[in-house]
Amino acid sequence: DRSMCRQVNHGNIIELCSELPVTADVAWDTLIDTGNWPTWGKLVTMARGTFDINTEWSISLRPVYQGGEDRVMRPMLINYQADNKILKFEQVFGGVAIVRLTHSFTVEPVDANHSVLRQRFEASGVLVWLLWSWLLHPGMMQFQELGSDLAHHLKNLPPVDPL
């Protein structure tokens, strides 16, 4: 088995992993082109923000239930490292003591033609234990779809001619 992905679901941490059929550079360039997320993925209907640390983003997610409205999130970008291919957001609900959720995206090379997208969610705060099973965990698991959609999109890109 050459799979480089292992899902983790432990306590207040979820790690999702998607195998990508392109180099880490191609995957990263596609991932950080957040304005195009809605063109290749079903989960995110809009993503706007700059890559300056501590700036607020506006990200709309499709409704969980048919006939519902998009859910608008306003996370802060707390880490952006282009060289290390890391993008990390933080969303606070009701103050840091209630629920604090971080979501990081990391693209890692596997070999000359493959990479993986790792997404890590970590929740903290006094209400995490109460909200985890019925709100936080299902919402985070939807992001597996974003990784699958990204892999499907990248598989269908035209080949790049080497220089």
Side-chain angles (χ1 to χ4, degrees), residues 10-15 88-91 93 99-104 119-125 128 132 136 140:
H10 179 70
N12 62 331
I13 296 171
I14 293 176
E15 293 180 0
K88 186 174 184 178
F89 295 98
E90 176 183 72
Q91 178 81 49
F93 303 93
V99 175
R100 177 180 169 264
L101 178 65
T102 62
H103 181 185
S104 64
Q119 298 182 69
R120 179 182 170 94
F121 297 88
E122 190 164 352
S124 60
V128 167
W132 184 258
L136 296 175
M140 289 180 262

Side-chain angles (χ1 to χ4, degrees), residues 77-89:
L77 180 70
I78 60 170
N79 190 354
Y80 174 71
Q81 298 177 35
D83 292 346
N84 294 320
K85 298 176 178 47
I86 298 170
L87 182 63
K88 186 174 184 178
F89 295 98

Side-chain angles (χ1 to χ4, degrees), residues 103-139:
H103 181 185
S104 64
F105 299 88
T106 306
V107 175
E108 300 172 0
V110 173
D111 60 33
N113 298 308
H114 299 89
S115 55
V116 294
L117 169 65
R118 297 191 192 280
Q119 298 182 69
R120 179 182 170 94
F121 297 88
E122 190 164 352
S124 60
V126 296
L127 291 184
V128 167
W129 64 274
L130 180 64
L131 300 174
W132 184 258
S133 63
W134 68 272
L135 178 64
L136 296 175
H137 183 266

